[in-house]
Each structure stands twice: as C-alpha cells, then as structure tokens.
Amino acid sequence: MFEQILDTLAIICVFLAALLSVAAGIGLLRFTDALSRLHAATKPQIFGLLLMITAIALEDRSFATLIALVPVFVFQSLTAPVAAHMVGRAAYRAGQIDEETLVIDELGPAIEAAQRAEREQGS
C-alpha cells in the first residue's frame, strides 16, 4: 500500500512538471518582450526540475539516487538565474524590452553612471 502511494506521488510530480513545461512554452510564445519571456522560461524550469527530481527519488526509493540528484538541482538553481540575469541585461542594453511594463528601472541609472565614469576617465 505504501509503495502504491509513493508511485502515485511520483506520477503526480511528473504530471505537474509536464504542466510547468507546457506553461513555460506557452509563455515563451505569447509574451511580448525579452524580460517576460525570461521569467516564463526560468521560473517553471527550476520548480519543474525539483518536481522531476522528487519523482525520480520517490520512484527509485534509494538514498544513493537522492544524493546523486541533489547536486543536479543545486547547480541548475545556481546557473539558470545567473544566465537569465545576464541575458536580461543584454536585452536591456540592446533595447529589446517593453519600457511600459517596467515598474522600477534600477539598471538604467547604473548604466548611465558607468557611461559617465567612462567618459570622464577617457577625457
């Protein structure tokens, strides 16, 4: 009985991860600017990966498998947001964002200050 419950939980985790993947794909297709698309791509990716790792751990029922999957989640959690951040900065500098949807623009003044410092240093 307990094994059937774990199998059912694993199936639910896989199904939810699949739904998150579909939502991310729809967001990538439907959202208009780069920042919205980055949000649609990175948020479901991390949570979907966590659900898949949970499903694998529940299905395998091995502590060794869980220990092997933890670094996968940790490294993905560290690299995906950093990559999205760098792509977002590049899109901002290239003018590929919808400025009407920005609530707070914290990067604009920082870029202007850096450009001002470069001009002053070059003079």
Side-chain angles (χ1 to χ4, degrees):
M1 181 69 178
F2 184 68
E3 290 187 12
Q4 290 175 341
I5 292 172
L6 291 179
D7 288 341
T8 304
L9 287 175
I11 290 170
I12 290 170
C13 286
V14 170
F15 180 72
L16 290 175
L19 283 178
L20 285 172
S21 295
V22 169
I26 291 171
L28 286 172
L29 293 174
R30 302 283 295 171
F31 289 154
T32 56
D33 65 327
L35 298 181
S36 298
R37 288 180 178 168
L38 281 173
H39 180 77
T42 56
K43 299 297 180 187
Q45 174 192 4
I46 297 297
F47 191 56
L49 178 67
L50 179 62
L51 287 171
M52 286 303 294
I53 287 174
T54 304
I56 292 168
L58 287 172
E59 185 62 31
D60 193 41
R61 296 177 185 93
S62 168
F63 189 70
T65 302
L66 182 63
I67 294 299
L69 291 173
V70 167
V72 172
F73 180 72
V74 169
F75 289 131
Q76 188 69 26
S77 296
L78 292 174
T79 57
V82 171
H85 178 77
M86 299 315 294
V87 170
R89 286 179 66 101
Y92 183 91
R93 287 179 178 248
Q96 300 295 319
I97 61 167
D98 184 13
E99 293 186 15
E100 294 177 5
T101 60
L102 289 179
V103 177
I104 298 173
D105 184 6
E106 295 177 349
L107 187 56
I111 290 175
E112 291 173 10
Q115 290 173 344
R116 221 177 8 258
E118 284 179 6
R119 283 193 300 265
E120 291 173 1
Q121 189 179 21
S123 302

